[in-house]
Amino acid sequence: MNAENKELQMKEETKELLKIVSDFDGTEFKGAYNIREDGGCAGRKSTENITIESKEDKPGINIHVKPGTKGENVFIPACITHSGVDDLVYNDFYIGEGADVTVIAGCGVHTITEEESRHNGIHRFFIEKNARVRYVEKHIGTGATKANRFIDPETDAYLAEGSYLEMDTTQIQGVEKTVRKTRAKLDAGAKLVIREKLMTADDDTAETDFVVELNGEDCGADVVSRSVARGNSRQSFRARLIGNTRCTGHSECDAIIADHGSVLSVPELEAYSEDAALIHEAAIGKIAGEQIMKLQTLGLTEEEAEAKIIEGFLR
Amino acid sequence: MLELENLSWTTEDGTEVLKNVSLQIPDGKVVVITGPNGSGKTSLAKLIAGIYEPTSGRIVLNGEDITEMGITERARRGISYAFQQPVRFKGLTVSDLIALSSKDNLSRPDMCDVLVKVGLCATDYIDREVDSTLSGGEIKRIEIASVISRHSVLTVFDEPEAGIDLWSFTNLIDVFRDMQKNLNGSLIIISHQERIIDIADELVVITDGEITACGPKDEIMPSLMDGKGCRKMCEMPREGIF
Ligand SMILES: Nc1ncnc2c1ncn2[C@@H]1O[C@H](COP(=O)(O)OP(=O)(O)OP(=O)(O)O)[C@@H](O)[C@H]1O
Ligand SMILES: [Mg+2]
């Protein structure tokens, strides 16, 4: 086990990326943190209640949050600052009973050539009884307009009785290819809330795939994706909700298509109990003409109106 | 002054909705347009705002021909339109909308004042999204608020009373009376409501796509109540109707 702290020492590019993906103020993180930079560690700090240690068998960290810890933050961003990096990391979160914490993840990839760079983060959450986690994740690619930046996150979450996980994920720029897989298993009374925001442009592709097993009585999942597909980009949204008992499940794909983008929404609802209440909603289309016209009557140009509508939609 | 000269508008499927409409709206006046459902009032408003393009005719604002201008340019010249059916937006809040319409000239307390004017408890609404969770009356009032914060030269309200409860309606009348006192241009209100017609300096009746009556309210009202048109008053095209 390696739980010692490491002083924050990172590249300027990393600092810039962290300002975007984890609201870094340029000086310090308020809470426990582990900063991953080009596959290495650029800083780590544990706190009294939150311990971060390296894994011994593979790249990555284990994060332990003591039972009852309230209102603390954990920052675990990962940054890639140049082309040719292929980063794979396994992060496991153990959230003790009754804890209530916020995890700020996020990944920034900065490249200036067309050579590939990839970050593949595999996260597992073990959330104990009545614990609450808010997971906030922003993904961004910066640098050359034509590049090959890939971010492929995988998340497995185990929600014990009465626990709560909210995942707010955002990727709005500069990632050419993303494949996002999220799987969750819920015990009695657990709640999972997912808010995904996605914008793709040019020839980007984005796939998101959710599988939620609703196993315990009165558990519930609410999976909502809002996305904008511009240029020639392609997106696919799959949400599979499996209701094995009395539970509620809602999945929603709300997409705006601009230019020649395309969106595929594939809902899968499986109910193995007559008390499982599962709903899927999907709406895909271009921005409504009357929305643009309304903003034009307030003095905005068509382009300004479109930008405002998208900005609001993805906020 | 806004001048409409022989305006006609035909829908894509060939229905002639407005036929040779000519009208002058002088500055300093409140003009109420009324008439049966489907007679073309909203279509006329949308022609004025640039949302629809006329099939023939001219629109002149303060001497400038704006017939070919788009919505944005007209808005920038001081035309405002409060939609009969307000548009909803996922993600934009009431304060976003008012900030856009006032060009960021209103502070938060000022925005709250505007909301209070239209009968909304500002703190409850200012951060609400202008989406489908708002009730019909709520979104209507937010629409009105977004338009009055523009202080335009020419404002068109399209059935502002629709969906508004009686108590707030009195508030709304006050808003219009207030605007009437401080007009820096003119105000057009499309309405079926007697109490709004009451505010009018001039009244225009549209029936089946044509102006069938127009003139000072006191002259038009009696025949309107009789259910008679008064085509004789409006032999069009006619200069200086008012
Ligand atoms: N975009 C359109 N395409 C086709 N028909 C239209 C369009 N807009 C309006 N119309 C038709 O034109 C006619 C006039 O409509 P308009 O909305 O102007 O009436 P209105 O006088 O405002 O009625 P109301 O009092 O019910 O609001 C109606 O028959 C309507 O169906
Ligand atoms: Mg109408």
Side-chain angles (χ1 to χ4, degrees), chain B residues 9 11 17 35-44 52 84 159 192:
Chain B
W9 183 64
T11 63
V17 175
N37 293 134
S39 57
K41 303 178 297 299
T42 296
S43 305
L44 185 65
Y52 291 165
Q84 180 173 5
E159 294 194 31
H192 301 287

Side-chain angles (χ1 to χ4, degrees), chain A residues 14-291:
Chain A
T14 303
K15 278 189 190 168
E16 289 309 310
L17 289 168
L18 291 180
K19 283 178 192 164
I20 306 169
V21 300
S22 43
D23 298 327
F24 180 52
D25 67 2
T27 54
E28 56 165 351
F29 288 99
K30 290 177 189 64
Y33 61 81
N34 184 77
I35 313 302
R36 195 171 174 85
E37 180 186 73
D38 298 326
C41 176
R44 176 180 300 172
K45 194 178 102 186
S46 295
T47 62
E48 202 182 321
N49 294 321
I50 302 174
T51 344
I52 302 180
E53 62 198 18
S54 297
K55 277 188 183 297
E56 286 174 347
D57 52 342
K58 48 189 170 189
I61 48 177
N62 291 329
I63 297 130
H64 288 271
V65 175
K66 278 191 191 160
T69 303
K70 297 277 183 210
E72 293 194 30
N73 295 332
V74 192
F75 296 85
I76 51 140
C79 294
I80 291 178
T81 62
H82 56 86
S83 310
V85 177
D86 190 353
D87 186 24
L88 170 68
V89 64
Y90 296 85
N91 295 336
D92 289 337
F93 296 81
Y94 299 90
I95 314 290
E97 198 171 317
D100 185 349
V101 293
T102 301
V103 176
I104 295 114
C107 175
V109 179
H110 177 81
T111 61
I112 51 172
T113 68
E114 282 187 39
E115 197 187 345
E116 286 182 15
S117 264
R118 179 189 311 272
H119 176 76
N120 189 345
I122 300 177
H123 291 174
R124 288 193 299 171
F125 283 89
F126 301 93
I127 306 175
E128 298 297 335
K129 232 169 125 177
N130 299 325
R132 292 175 68 86
V133 177
R134 180 156 180 261
Y135 173 82
V136 185
E137 176 198 275
K138 278 188 206 160
H139 286 173
I140 195 164
T142 60
T145 44
K146 243 181 125 37
N148 283 297
R149 292 173 285 246
F150 304 149
I151 302 182
D152 297 325
E154 266 182 67
T155 306
D156 278 307
Y158 303 90
L159 282 77
E161 214 176 299
S163 66
Y164 175 90
L165 171 62
E166 180 184 328
M167 296 178 73
D168 288 338
T169 66
T170 310
Q171 177 183 308
I172 53 166
Q173 185 195 312
V175 180
E176 279 67 26
K177 186 163 183 286
T178 190
V179 179
R180 166 190 295 279
K181 289 193 162 66
T182 308
R183 291 173 292 261
K185 292 183 180 176
L186 280 67
D187 283 348
K191 293 275 177 282
L192 171 69
V193 174
I194 292 176
R195 295 285 176 262
E196 175 184 79
K197 286 176 190 151
L198 191 62
M199 179 148 78
T200 52
D202 306 321
D203 294 311
D204 300 350
T205 61
E207 281 175 43
T208 60
D209 197 339
F210 298 93
V211 181
V212 181
E213 287 180 39
L214 299 150
N215 297 331
E217 286 216 332
D218 299 319
C219 66
D222 186 23
V223 178
V224 177
S225 165
R226 275 192 183 181
S227 69
V228 178
R230 327 185 64 136
N232 292 309
S233 65
R234 284 171 293 136
Q235 299 182 3
S236 84
F237 170 85
R238 282 168 198 271
R240 181 167 169 225
L241 304 182
I242 306 161
N244 290 318
T245 179
R246 188 174 70 207
C247 62
T248 54
H250 171 244
S251 72
E252 184 178 330
C253 165
D254 205 345
I256 291 179
I257 296 189
D259 317 317
H260 298 99
S262 71
V263 176
L264 170 74
S265 169
V266 186
E268 282 180 72
L269 303 179
E270 293 174 40
Y272 299 103
S273 157
E274 62 174 8
D275 295 321
L278 307 176
I279 301 175
H280 173 77
E281 293 176 82
I284 303 175
K286 61 176 185 204
I287 297 177
E290 59 170 16
Q291 290 185 330

